[in-house]
Amino acid sequence: MAKDNQFVNQIADIETDFPRWYTDVVIRTKLVDYGPVKGTMVIRPYGYAIWENIQKELDARFKATGHQNAYFPLLIPYSFMTREAEHVEGFAPEVAVVTVGGGEELAEPLVIRPTSETVIGEMYSKWLQSYRDLPILINQWANVVRWEKTTRPFLRTSEFLWQEGHTAHATEEEAMEETMKMLGVYKEFAENCLAIPVFTGRKTEKEKFAGAVATFGMEAMMHDGKSLQAGTSHYFGQNFSKAFDIQYLDKDGVHKYAYTSSWGVSTRLIGAIIMVHGDQRGLALPPAVAPVQAIIVPIAAKKEGVLEAVAALKAELLAAGIRAESDLTDNSPGWKFNEWEMKGVPLRIELGPRDIEAGKMTVVRRDNFEKSEVSRENAADTVKKLLADIQTGMYEKAKRRKEERVVGADSVEELLRGVEGGNFVKAGWCGCRECEEKIKEQTAASARVIVEDETAETCVCCGKKAKHVVLFARAY
Amino acid sequence: MAKDNQFVNQIADIETDFPRWYTDVVIRTKLVDYGPVKGTMVIRPYGYAIWENIQKELDARFKATGHQNAYFPLLIPYSFMTREAEHVEGFAPEVAVVTVGGGEELAEPLVIRPTSETVIGEMYSKWLQSYRDLPILINQWANVVRWEKTTRPFLRTSEFLWQEGHTAHATEEEAMEETMKMLGVYKEFAENCLAIPVFTGRKTEKEKFAGAVATFGMEAMMHDGKSLQAGTSHYFGQNFSKAFDIQYLDKDGVHKYAYTSSWGVSTRLIGAIIMVHGDQRGLALPPAVAPVQAIIVPIAAKKEGVLEAVAALKAELLAAGIRAESDLTDNSPGWKFNEWEMKGVPLRIELGPRDIEAGKMTVVRRDNFEKSEVSRENAADTVKKLLADIQTGMYEKAKRRKEERVVGADSVEELLRGVEGGNFVKAGWCGCRECEEKIKEQTAASARVIVEDETAETCVCCGKKAKHVVLFARAY
């Protein structure tokens, strides 16, 4: 393990001041910076490269499940917001409003999309004619704006990047199947690419999307035991198709309203990666989405043949599809080790005169700091194998924590102790909003998802018959 | 060639009503639709897939030339606009202004980025410390908003998608080298991927970007002989670095202002593809960016073995990296031929019982309607070869037109006749704004680019000594 040094000192203690640790890490590793307008962020190249890898992986999954991308306008007539009663209640308070365009006051104010159900609903109502046009399976990669009072880079910002899938179907069953399918895609992606195990399940009425019949969420446990909602998939029934007149002529000659869904994940996922895998040394990025998967550090770089050997190794790894980089700066090897550890690069490869002579290279894993000498021959295969091991190792580690840190509770006091101890708490719930709000008030924990296939006798709050088992946690 | 039918009748005559032809084609082929807010567009899946291919090709080129992607905020404080005098004059009249956020009047109004020099300049001034930080080579894929009075899908809309590269350098030479390098990247991309030959060159003072020292443009000749500005690359000198305090500490211990550049292309390129290659049958898409490169149409689809043969061929082409699709709808083959011709798919493959028995397939090129029988064996190689030929054929055809339709002029009257005849006109120009404006007034043609390495005796307008040869054209 590299020695502690000033890098570590630049980062607040992860155990005692996690919020500061988070801010220190995202700024110091140049993932992100604060934009000039309060609450906005600039995603810097190192952060954006993670987003590009996320996009590439997700986009392939969306296309493999039959979706196509499209692009809908940023600006939405204010009146659209009001057509779905719950939707306007949920989103109107946090929209940014354009009132002037081209030097003139606009006849109708426009909102910058906080989400696109309304404008996409309007277009679907134009495009949808016959049952033959169904299903409509479209995704959009876009920016959205939600005016937030308290903001933190990646987690909650006035503008963020996301994807929003919007689909229309002939039947309730198909729309619900789509909703669940995409929740499954998110879960598989989170586990396999981000190395983040997740809880998935239905949200309570209080926590669901404004305008949805049902929202299903994917929740991940952060280092501090708090939950981050990492993705959602919504079933709308006919709420939006009635509000926007999304009708089609069915085989039987009758006009019918379509059933719609939407689903989205955002740059928030980068926050999840940071808070699940990070440690006192900084970031730890899962190989599947790391901008640099292997960093090659020359040892005794001025000795004959070292830089050539580094260049040859880099070329070999790049040719094998590994995102390899070499650090040829003037900094000392120790400095470089710490720098790239802080930046979370999964694998470090040290290459010096002795390694070269012995036909070896020294590899150090970011996930467990294991250092070993491996043969220089078949370097690409070895590195691929190591990256796969790191990916699995990171997932297993996060999974262990997730499993260890779920406790039960028979009373609100116990629930409070549970979340204060950095746990998720499973408890019975009667199903009424009053109890849900009381629990939130007394513990600062909210209902994250309803747990399927589990039952409880009584509600943790009122003691009446429990309707559901709910996973409670404090959340970002 | 497929017989004329209702498809062609749905599209206005390309020779007599080109504007209507354009609108008919973009709407009928589902490239685009009008958004609910005046002047906005919805890029539908077929149009967006072209944009994705453009992005993929360009992004690879940007990265190969050392650039990284990042993302800067959509919203810019109004005061930023005013820091560079020419910039505010050019862009302030067409910005959309946010005055309300989160239900409250904002202390300072925010503009939706019409372009990002200002907000990126602000960030660069924060990030740039030492000469070691230079050059900064960043690109952004984003949406921008410019309030336009007269709009047309892809060509001029209130919101459009683009990329904007923004770079900072230690010296004038390096910044200028970058400006020209990226103009060269655009030109190579336009010629090799879009099959569009272009004129490149410096813009006049009147036509340059608001805030630039020099703008270099890429102009393409449309079917009707008008010009489309298809991309620009700007050299800013120290205009923006002084306005935004982009300074660095040089080796000699002196603080110096950086030299900056920016360069961009947009969804306008899709308009260029349509207007350069389209014909009376509709779109003709260059294989390099066509969403579907080869469409397989079964003949006598109900005959035994046909659908299986179609599926096998499609799988074989897809496996070889060809964007192949098959049309298994109930429509007649004739209908399908016309439909896919209208959609501009470069190659049609017909596969029926006779082809299958003979071990053949029938291929029809979209660019010249040549129909031939080729062996079913090595289908992927054959199709790749044909697509390459089509790509070249389309470029050569556009190049011939571009070369045939450039004429000279010794007087404004001659210049007028030239542009009225659907030509670009090369003419001498004294360099003064009065003449440039007079020419515009009398001919509706503007100075597109200054022609390098050519000289003229006299100005086409005032008859005084010519300073430059200029390419004049009417423009979109």
Side-chain angles (χ1 to χ4, degrees):
Chain A
M1 201 189 295
K3 287 190 195 118
D4 282 3
N5 75 347
Q6 56 178 350
F7 285 91
V8 172
N9 297 337
Q10 284 173 7
I11 302 174
D13 187 71
I14 190 169
E15 304 305 338
T16 58
D17 194 353
F18 192 61
R20 244 312 279 296
W21 173 90
Y22 180 82
T23 308
D24 287 349
V25 166
V26 296
I27 297 297
R28 183 67 187 76
T29 57
K30 300 186 181 172
L31 286 179
V32 77
D33 202 351
Y34 299 102
V37 173
K38 201 175 160 295
T40 64
M41 66 175 162
V42 175
I43 308 179
R44 301 186 69 169
Y46 195 58
Y48 197 82
I50 299 175
W51 183 238
E52 288 182 301
N53 290 333
I54 289 173
Q55 285 189 300
K56 201 175 148 198
E57 290 284 350
L58 279 174
D59 202 66
R61 285 164 172 79
F62 298 158
K63 284 175 178 158
T65 44
H67 303 86
Q68 294 181 297
N69 289 327
Y71 186 77
F72 296 85
L74 175 77
L75 299 174
I76 302 175
Y78 195 92
S79 60
F80 277 28
M81 295 291 295
T82 62
R83 290 208 213 154
E84 211 290 330
E86 283 187 14
H87 194 70
V88 66
E89 205 186 312
F91 285 103
E94 56 183 44
V95 291
V97 187
V98 176
T99 57
V100 173
E104 284 171 23
E105 194 85 16
L106 299 176
E108 181 184 0
L110 305 174
V111 306
I112 299 181
R113 63 178 161 228
T115 179
S116 301
E117 278 74 12
T118 60
V119 63
I120 292 180
E122 175 79 3
M123 298 314 296
Y124 282 8
S125 109
K126 256 182 92 172
W127 297 343
L128 181 57
Q129 307 288 337
S130 143
Y131 68 92
R132 287 193 192 84
D133 302 327
L134 291 172
I136 303 178
L137 304 172
I138 289 181
N139 175 62
Q140 160 168 281
W141 292 97
N143 54 342
V144 287
V145 170
R146 298 178 185 176
W147 218 256
E148 300 279 2
K149 290 217 161 48
T150 317
T151 58
R152 303 188 63 196
F154 296 124
L155 303 180
R156 198 174 291 278
T157 47
S158 298
E159 181 192 9
F160 57 88
L161 303 183
W162 78 346
Q163 62 67 219
E164 45 181 326
H166 293 270
T167 69
H169 307 264
T171 68
E172 204 171 328
E173 292 67 36
E174 276 180 41
M176 185 55 99
E177 193 191 319
E178 167 80 9
T179 307
M180 299 316 290
K181 183 200 284 175
M182 300 320 289
L183 185 71
V185 165
Y186 288 155
K187 183 179 162 80
E188 180 273 320
F189 165 77
E191 295 180 349
N192 291 333
C193 291
L194 309 183
I196 298 179
V198 292
F199 296 94
T200 54
R202 185 170 176 156
K203 293 270 172 185
T204 62
E205 284 297 299
K206 180 175 183 295
E207 299 286 334
K208 75 173 191 193
F209 180 87
V213 169
T215 289
F216 298 84
M218 167 164 95
E219 301 280 325
M221 186 186 282
M222 303 297 110
H223 182 90
D224 60 353
K226 285 170 78 174
S227 187
L228 184 85
Q229 179 174 297
T232 46
S233 190
H234 314 291
Y235 169 68
F236 292 134
Q238 296 182 323
N239 288 358
F240 282 93
S241 66
K242 285 186 175 162
F244 287 87
D245 198 32
I246 309 173
Q247 289 197 58
Y248 66 98
L249 187 64
D250 204 355
K251 283 178 207 173
D252 57 11
V254 178
H255 279 95
K256 297 176 184 170
Y257 287 108
Y259 294 82
T260 67
S261 91
S262 83
W263 29 273
V265 298
S266 73
T267 37
R268 230 184 178 209
L269 289 176
I270 300 174
I273 295 169
I274 299 163
M275 295 200 294
V276 167
H277 301 298
D279 58 25
Q280 194 53 47
R281 298 185 166 274
L283 297 175
L285 300 177
V289 296
V292 179
Q293 295 175 311
I295 179 72
I296 310 169
V297 177
I299 309 296
K302 283 172 185 159
K303 288 271 169 70
E304 206 193 315
V306 171
L307 289 182
E308 291 76 1
V310 166
L313 178 59
K314 182 179 160 185
E316 199 174 316
L317 298 182
L318 286 174
I322 296 159
R323 295 189 287 273
E325 192 49 84
S326 57
D327 185 341
L328 307 181
T329 59
D330 291 342
N331 299 321
S332 71
W335 176 286
K336 292 177 185 177
F337 296 170
N338 286 292
E339 170 91 16
W340 292 103
E341 277 178 5
M342 187 177 66
K343 288 180 90 82
V345 172
L347 191 71
R348 179 171 81 234
I349 305 175
E350 304 169 11
L351 207 55
R354 263 185 296 180
D355 300 289
I356 296 166
E357 208 184 338
K360 304 262 183 192
M361 53 191 201
T362 302
V363 293
V364 184
R365 288 171 59 152
R366 175 64 182 86
D367 64 326
N368 59 14
F369 300 103
E370 269 177 29
K371 185 170 180 164
S372 51
E373 273 201 339
V374 297
S375 169
R376 170 64 182 79
E377 253 186 285
N378 303 321
D381 288 345
T382 308
V383 169
K384 276 189 182 170
K385 171 82 172 58
L386 279 162
L387 291 174
D389 288 351
I390 294 167
Q391 184 80 30
T392 312
M394 291 177 75
Y395 176 71
E396 292 301 333
K397 189 171 159 191
K399 196 168 165 228
R400 276 195 302 279
R401 183 174 65 206
K402 170 186 174 247
E403 282 165 2
E404 284 163 14
R405 293 226 215 141
V406 178
V407 299
D410 288 325
S411 67
V412 174
E413 294 69 37
E414 218 178 314
L415 201 162
L416 175 62
R417 277 198 300 278
V419 297
E420 279 187 336
N423 302 290
F424 282 21
V425 180
K426 263 187 197 173
W429 173 55
C430 63
C432 81
R433 167 110 39 160
E434 288 72 31
C435 283
E436 193 179 351
E437 280 170 356
K438 209 177 200 177
I439 292 166
K440 178 91 189 266
E441 235 174 71
Q442 298 184 7
T443 67
S446 53
R448 305 315 305 159
V449 292
I450 294 168
V451 181
E452 290 282 306
D453 304 326
E454 288 189 34
T455 54
E457 293 293 310
T458 56
C459 174
V460 70
C461 182
C462 66
K464 288 185 190 147
K465 193 170 163 7
K467 200 170 160 190
H468 296 295
V469 173
V470 165
L471 194 64
F472 290 94
R474 289 177 177 169
Y476 281 94
Chain B
M1 201 189 293
K3 288 193 197 114
D4 282 2
N5 76 347
Q6 56 177 353
F7 285 90
V8 171
N9 297 336
Q10 285 173 6
I11 301 175
D13 186 69
I14 190 169
E15 303 305 337
T16 58
D17 194 352
F18 192 60
R20 241 317 275 296
W21 173 90
Y22 180 83
T23 308
D24 287 348
V25 166
V26 297
I27 297 296
R28 184 66 187 76
T29 58
K30 299 186 181 172
L31 286 179
V32 77
D33 202 351
Y34 299 102
V37 173
K38 202 176 158 293
T40 64
M41 65 175 164
V42 175
I43 307 179
R44 301 185 70 170
Y46 195 56
Y48 197 81
I50 299 175
W51 182 239
E52 289 182 300
N53 291 332
I54 289 173
Q55 285 189 300
K56 202 176 150 198
E57 291 284 349
L58 279 174
D59 202 68
R61 284 164 173 80
F62 298 157
K63 284 175 178 158
T65 45
H67 303 86
Q68 294 182 296
N69 289 326
Y71 186 77
F72 296 85
L74 175 77
L75 299 174
I76 303 175
Y78 195 92
S79 60
F80 277 28
M81 295 291 295
T82 62
R83 289 207 212 155
E84 211 290 331
E86 283 187 13
H87 193 70
V88 65
E89 205 186 311
F91 285 103
E94 56 183 44
V95 291
V97 187
V98 176
T99 56
V100 173
E104 284 172 23
E105 193 85 16
L106 300 177
E108 182 184 359
L110 305 173
V111 305
I112 299 180
R113 62 177 163 230
T115 178
S116 301
E117 279 75 13
T118 61
V119 63
I120 292 180
E122 175 79 3
M123 298 314 296
Y124 283 7
S125 110
K126 254 182 95 171
W127 297 343
L128 180 58
Q129 306 288 337
S130 143
Y131 68 93
R132 287 193 193 84
D133 302 326
L134 292 172
I136 303 178
L137 304 171
I138 289 180
N139 174 63
Q140 160 169 281
W141 292 97
N143 54 343
V144 286
V145 170
R146 297 179 186 177
W147 218 256
E148 301 279 2
K149 291 217 159 51
T150 318
T151 58
R152 301 187 64 197
F154 296 124
L155 303 180
R156 198 174 291 278
T157 47
S158 298
E159 181 192 9
F160 57 88
L161 302 183
W162 79 345
Q163 62 67 217
E164 44 181 326
H166 293 269
T167 69
H169 307 264
T171 67
E172 205 173 328
E173 293 67 36
E174 276 180 41
M176 184 56 97
E177 193 191 319
E178 167 80 8
T179 308
M180 299 315 290
K181 184 199 285 174
M182 300 320 288
L183 185 71
V185 165
Y186 288 155
K187 184 180 162 78
E188 180 273 319
F189 164 77
E191 294 180 350
N192 291 333
C193 291
L194 308 184
I196 298 179
V198 291
F199 296 94
T200 55
R202 185 168 175 158
K203 293 270 173 186
T204 61
E205 284 297 299
K206 180 175 183 294
E207 299 287 335
K208 75 173 194 194
F209 180 87
V213 169
T215 289
F216 299 83
M218 168 165 96
E219 301 280 325
M221 185 187 283
M222 303 296 109
H223 182 89
D224 60 352
K226 286 170 77 174
S227 187
L228 184 85
Q229 178 174 297
T232 46
S233 189
H234 315 291
Y235 170 68
F236 292 134
Q238 297 182 322
N239 288 358
F240 282 94
S241 66
K242 285 186 175 163
F244 287 88
D245 198 32
I246 309 173
Q247 289 197 59
Y248 65 99
L249 187 64
D250 204 355
K251 284 176 203 171
D252 57 11
V254 179
H255 280 94
K256 296 176 185 171
Y257 288 108
Y259 294 82
T260 68
S261 91
S262 83
W263 29 274
V265 298
S266 74
T267 36
R268 234 187 173 204
L269 289 176
I270 300 174
I273 294 169
I274 298 163
M275 294 200 295
V276 167
H277 301 300
D279 58 23
Q280 193 54 49
R281 297 186 166 275
L283 298 174
L285 300 176
V289 296
V292 179
Q293 295 175 310
I295 179 72
I296 310 169
V297 177
I299 308 295
K302 283 173 182 157
K303 287 272 169 70
E304 205 191 318
V306 172
L307 290 181
E308 291 77 0
V310 166
L313 178 59
K314 180 178 161 185
E316 199 174 317
L317 299 183
L318 286 174
I322 295 159
R323 295 190 287 274
E325 191 49 85
S326 57
D327 185 342
L328 307 181
T329 60
D330 292 341
N331 299 320
S332 71
W335 176 287
K336 293 177 186 178
F337 296 171
N338 286 291
E339 170 92 17
W340 292 103
E341 276 177 6
M342 187 177 66
K343 288 179 90 83
V345 172
L347 192 70
R348 180 172 80 233
I349 305 175
E350 304 169 12
L351 207 55
R354 265 185 294 178
D355 301 289
I356 295 166
E357 206 184 337
K360 305 264 183 189
M361 53 191 202
T362 303
V363 292
V364 184
R365 287 172 60 153
R366 175 64 181 85
D367 64 327
N368 58 14
F369 300 104
E370 270 178 28
K371 184 170 181 164
S372 51
E373 274 202 337
V374 297
S375 168
R376 171 64 182 78
E377 252 186 283
N378 304 320
D381 288 343
T382 308
V383 169
K384 277 188 181 170
K385 171 81 173 58
L386 279 162
L387 292 173
D389 287 351
I390 294 167
Q391 184 82 28
T392 312
M394 291 177 75
Y395 176 71
E396 292 301 334
K397 189 171 160 191
K399 197 169 163 227
R400 274 194 302 280
R401 184 174 62 207
K402 169 186 174 248
E403 282 165 1
E404 283 163 14
R405 292 224 214 142
V406 178
V407 299
D410 287 326
S411 67
V412 174
E413 294 68 37
E414 220 177 313
L415 202 161
L416 176 62
R417 277 197 301 278
V419 297
E420 279 187 337
N423 302 290
F424 282 20
V425 180
K426 265 187 196 171
W429 173 55
C430 63
C432 82
R433 166 110 39 160
E434 288 72 30
C435 283
E436 193 179 351
E437 281 170 355
K438 210 177 199 177
I439 292 165
K440 178 91 189 266
E441 236 175 71
Q442 297 184 8
T443 67
S446 54
R448 304 317 304 158
V449 292
I450 294 167
V451 181
E452 290 282 307
D453 304 325
E454 287 189 36
T455 54
E457 293 292 311
T458 56
C459 174
V460 69
C461 183
C462 66
K464 287 185 193 148
K465 193 172 160 14
K467 199 171 160 188
H468 296 295
V469 173
V470 165
L471 194 64
F472 290 94
R474 290 178 177 167
Y476 280 95

